Amino acid sequence: MSDTGEKTGERGVRPEQHHQHRDVTGGWLRPAVFGAMDGLVSNFALIAGVAGGQATQKVVLLAGLAGLAAGAFSMAAGEYISVASQSELAEAEIEVERLELARHPAAEQRELAEVFEARGVDPETAAEVARQLSRNPDEALEVHAREELGVTPGDLPSPLLAAGSSFLSFAVGALLPVLPYLLGATSLWPAAIVAALGLFGAGALVSRITARPWWFGGSRQLLFGAAAAVTTYGFGALIGSNGI
């Protein structure tokens, strides 16, 4: 250990530490969270509606499994197309910016300097920073893309990752209210208890990511899920009572 290190240790001075941020731009978190919530809420609501119509245990189970499969594939397809379209649009705009840098480098350099000036940098420093960044075309493109488009070339969300996350998370969420029926339950109450626990747990888990209180996230998700289930159960009971 160097003398400096020994002195630092003797004095008890802690080395400088830099904080780290969690990834907030990845393509998996939003579809995974949304998929799990949607799978649990929508499939429990579907089961509740069918059960409200006085359907048999087999019919309710079939409806739950069909809802799981249809919802998971639908979510995955929707996420893939959505993210792929967004990425394709971003790539097209990045290519436009790349061509502008090649055709009009001086104008793009001035534009970059104006961006820094707008952020409070004095004109001379902004012009010098823009000049130095513009010496590297890739670096200049990255800065222009971030400032003008809000994206980073080469770091766009993956459609396959988004689709896979959405598919798996929806299937897991949708499976929870079906489990009691798979294990032989003949009434809605066991599924309702499992779904309620899942809703509260999922909401509490999401709150750990968003820094919300766990009880707030869990209660909010439970409230919305219960409202959806009660509404569809009422529709099912109404339709069933009319013999439709």
Side-chain angles (χ1 to χ4, degrees), residues 32-44:
V33 172
F34 181 71
M37 296 296 191
D38 190 34
L40 183 51
V41 173
S42 65
N43 216 35
F44 177 50

Side-chain angles (χ1 to χ4, degrees), residues 101-211:
L101 285 168
R103 294 171 178 172
H104 311 290
E108 291 297 308
Q109 183 175 318
R110 285 195 302 272
E111 183 178 302
L112 191 58
E114 291 172 357
V115 169
F116 293 128
E117 287 185 44
R119 292 180 177 271
V121 180
D122 64 83
E124 291 184 1
T125 304
E128 178 60 22
V129 172
R131 185 188 67 80
Q132 293 188 28
L133 287 174
S134 297
R135 291 185 302 189
N136 185 331
D138 292 334
E139 183 71 21
L141 176 62
E142 182 174 331
V143 175
H144 276 278
R146 283 203 308 264
E147 294 294 335
E148 298 178 31
L149 304 174
V151 298
T152 301
D155 192 29
L156 298 175
S158 167
L160 286 176
L161 181 60
S165 300
S166 182
F167 181 91
L168 292 176
S169 59
F170 186 98
V172 170
L175 180 62
L176 287 179
V178 178
L179 278 176
Y181 285 96
L182 287 173
L183 297 176
T186 57
S187 70
L188 184 62
W189 283 110
I193 294 173
V194 172
L197 292 174
L199 286 167
F200 188 87
L205 180 61
V206 171
S207 70
R208 297 296 301 273
I209 300 174
T210 61

Side-chain angles (χ1 to χ4, degrees), residues 66-99:
L68 186 158
F73 280 107
S74 176
M75 285 286 294
E79 280 295 332
Y80 183 89
I81 294 172
S82 174
V83 175
S85 299
Q86 183 180 6
S87 296
E88 289 165 2
L89 175 61
E91 289 170 355
E93 292 301 311
I94 290 171
E95 186 60 29
V96 170
E97 193 63 36
R98 192 192 308 275
L99 292 174

